[in-house]
């Protein structure tokens, strides 16, 4: 069997990325892609790589996942995450979890240490305790920016919908040298959402899907719209029908827009290691590494390319 060339693709969320946040978002997805790629280069699995990349973005306050998550109606952080292994279709997810730094780690434990696929709220909390995952105070995950936005959305004349455009779910897809694919997605959800609201991220086939027979995808955007069309699975279906990752992504995003008026973004890798990062929103921060080249962008049609060595050097100097 010929060894595959490993590939990782990450996104930091589709929506509107405000000028002053562009640099931080760009640096954050690049860092995540380089970390995930490093795992693959050392012979790590696709699952290890996507978990590492997503963990990196959960720890980065620029993104709506982990630290930096948006707040629900009560002013608390409630997070969702999913991970999936394309080899055997194993998946683990958590929803509405509080007080843990890295929901993606917990999702991985659900996949590997239970017979279940999705644990929620209190049950997920008990499982985290049983697994020895340290609890962090809720305030630790709340940034000034999230609190500001929450307050603004509470004002009687506010339009939370306006703010939803800056969504910022994070995700990663990868193929490793064995040809196995995986996906991971993590989010803080919608600002000022109802308590207990779970979006597409924790739902298999919506927030992400991975199958060695076709490829892997992770999604971002308006969760309820993504769920209506089961976006991640729809993209893989199009690839199974022979479409390229780019065409499959565009076709599915277009369907979501025309059918339910929903906007979003996706990252895709197919079983041959071809990749795509596509979005119907104004922006989506994304980065990918393949053949020791880093590609990244935020705006439609924008694509920077650097060698990995060059990127790692500027990474050390602080972007």
């Amino acid at each position: 069997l010929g060894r595959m060339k490993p590939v990782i693709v990450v996104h930091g969320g589709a929506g509107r990325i405000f000028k002053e946040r562009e640099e931080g978002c760009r640096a954050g997805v690049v860092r995540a892609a380089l970390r995930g790629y490093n795992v693959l280069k050392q012979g790590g699995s696709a699952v290890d790589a996507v978990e590492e990349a997503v963990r990196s973005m959960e720890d980065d306050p620029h993104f709506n996942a982990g630290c930096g998550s948006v707040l629900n109606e009560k002013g608390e952080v409630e997070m969702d995450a999913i991970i999936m292994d394309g080899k055997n279709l194993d998946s683990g997810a958590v929803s509405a979890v509080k007080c843990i730094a890295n929901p993606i780690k917990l999702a991985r434990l659900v996949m590997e240490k239970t017979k279940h696929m999705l644990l929620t709220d209190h049950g997920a909390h008990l499982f985290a305790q049983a697994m020895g995952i340290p609890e962090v105070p809720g305030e630790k995950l709340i940034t000034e920016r999230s609190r500001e936005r929450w307050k603004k959305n509470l004002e009687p004349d506010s339009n939370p919908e306006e703010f939803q455009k800056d969504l910022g779910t994070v995700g990663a897809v990868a193929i490793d040298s064995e040809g196995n694919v995986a996906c991971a997605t993590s989010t803080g959800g919608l600002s000022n959402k109802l308590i207990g609201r779970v979006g597409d991220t924790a739902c298999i086939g919506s927030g992400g899907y991975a199958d060695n027979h076709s490829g892997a995808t992770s999604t971002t955007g308006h969760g309820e719209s993504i769920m209506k069309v089961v976006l991640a699975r729809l993209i893989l279906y199009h690839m199974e029908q022979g479409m390229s990752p780019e065409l499959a992504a565009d076709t599915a995003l277009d369907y979501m827009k025309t059918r339910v008026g929903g906007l979003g973004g996706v990252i895709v890798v197919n079983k041959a290691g071809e990749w795509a990062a596509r979005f119907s929103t104004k922006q989506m921060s994304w980065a990918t590494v393949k053949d020791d080249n880093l590609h990244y962008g935020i705006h439609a049609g924008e694509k920077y390319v650097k060698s990995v060595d060059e990127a790692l050097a500027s990474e050390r100097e602080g972007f």
Side-chain angles (χ1 to χ4, degrees):
L1 266 176
R3 305 278 282 174
M4 277 298 302
K5 281 189 172 152
V7 182
I8 182 140
V9 194
V10 304
H11 70 73
R16 191 179 47 190
I17 297 165
F18 298 106
K19 263 280 174 272
E20 73 275 10
R21 302 179 48 72
E22 264 189 34
E23 269 322 287
C25 287
R26 198 174 271 134
V29 288
V30 165
R31 184 178 308 122
L34 291 170
R35 284 192 182 171
Y37 190 64
N38 190 40
V39 170
L40 295 170
K41 280 298 266 193
Q42 291 172 9
S45 68
V47 174
D48 288 339
V50 294
E51 182 189 2
E52 177 60 30
V54 165
R55 202 179 55 75
S56 166
M57 291 184 284
E58 286 176 340
D59 292 343
D60 186 331
H62 280 94
F63 302 109
N64 174 17
C67 175
S69 288
V70 297
L71 311 186
N72 67 11
E73 57 179 354
K74 252 180 70 179
E76 300 173 332
V77 165
E78 282 189 322
M79 301 164 290
D80 306 331
I82 193 168
I83 194 164
M84 186 166 183
D85 184 344
K87 188 163 40 179
N88 46 18
L89 305 189
D90 276 351
S91 178
V94 292
S95 68
V97 296
K98 301 183 189 78
C99 303
I100 60 166
N102 298 109
I104 200 64
K105 279 171 94 158
L106 191 56
R108 171 111 189 231
L109 288 168
V110 170
M111 174 169 82
E112 292 181 348
K113 306 284 184 203
T114 77
K115 291 193 169 72
H116 308 310
M117 288 172 89
L118 173 58
L119 290 182
T120 190
D121 194 358
H122 183 58
H125 174 73
L126 294 175
F127 176 65
Q129 280 181 331
M131 290 287 121
I133 298 237
E135 217 173 295
V136 298
E139 304 77 72
K140 264 276 192 24
L141 301 173
I142 298 177
T143 59
E144 200 39 54
R145 175 169 166 267
S146 296
R147 200 181 293 284
E148 282 304 302
R149 166 180 302 191
W150 174 71
K151 281 203 191 108
K152 262 210 178 101
N153 286 343
L154 289 178
E155 290 164 14
D157 56 349
S158 85
N159 175 11
E161 290 302 300
E162 239 333 275
F163 289 99
Q164 297 314 358
K165 302 213 167 68
D166 181 22
L167 289 162
T169 298
V170 306
V173 295
I175 186 163
D176 60 29
S177 57
E178 309 281 312
N180 294 314
V181 299
C183 70
T185 313
S186 180
T187 191
L190 291 179
S191 191
N192 297 63
K193 62 188 178 179
L194 294 181
I195 289 167
R197 178 264 187 188
V198 177
D200 66 293
T201 300
C203 301
I204 191 171
S206 293
Y209 202 82
D211 182 349
N212 281 5
H213 294 166
S214 43
T217 181
S218 168
T219 68
T220 165
H222 184 244
E224 281 71 15
S225 298
I226 291 171
M227 290 158 95
K228 286 176 185 176
V229 301
V230 198
L231 186 63
R233 192 65 192 83
L234 181 60
I235 291 166
L236 291 193
Y237 165 78
H238 287 316
M239 293 202 302
E240 286 155 5
Q241 303 301 303
M243 286 188 190
S244 68
E246 190 159 306
L247 185 57
D250 287 348
T251 305
L253 283 168
D254 192 50
Y255 176 72
M256 183 167 82
K257 192 173 175 177
T258 52
R259 187 70 178 87
V260 297
L263 300 179
V266 300
I267 50 173
V268 191
V269 66
N270 72 7
K271 63 181 181 184
E274 300 166 321
W275 62 274
R278 309 293 292 168
F279 47 99
S280 52
T281 50
K282 278 227 167 57
Q283 284 123 342
M284 178 178 81
S285 53
W286 62 272
T288 183
V289 185
K290 181 181 181 175
D291 289 333
D292 285 321
N293 276 317
L294 164 78
H295 306 248
Y296 59 99
I298 286 187
H299 303 276
E302 169 189 59
K303 186 162 157 185
Y304 295 105
V305 185
K306 276 183 183 178
S307 75
V308 165
D309 292 342
E310 194 188 337
L312 284 170
S314 55
E315 179 76 0
R316 281 182 214 107
E317 288 150 30
F319 224 68

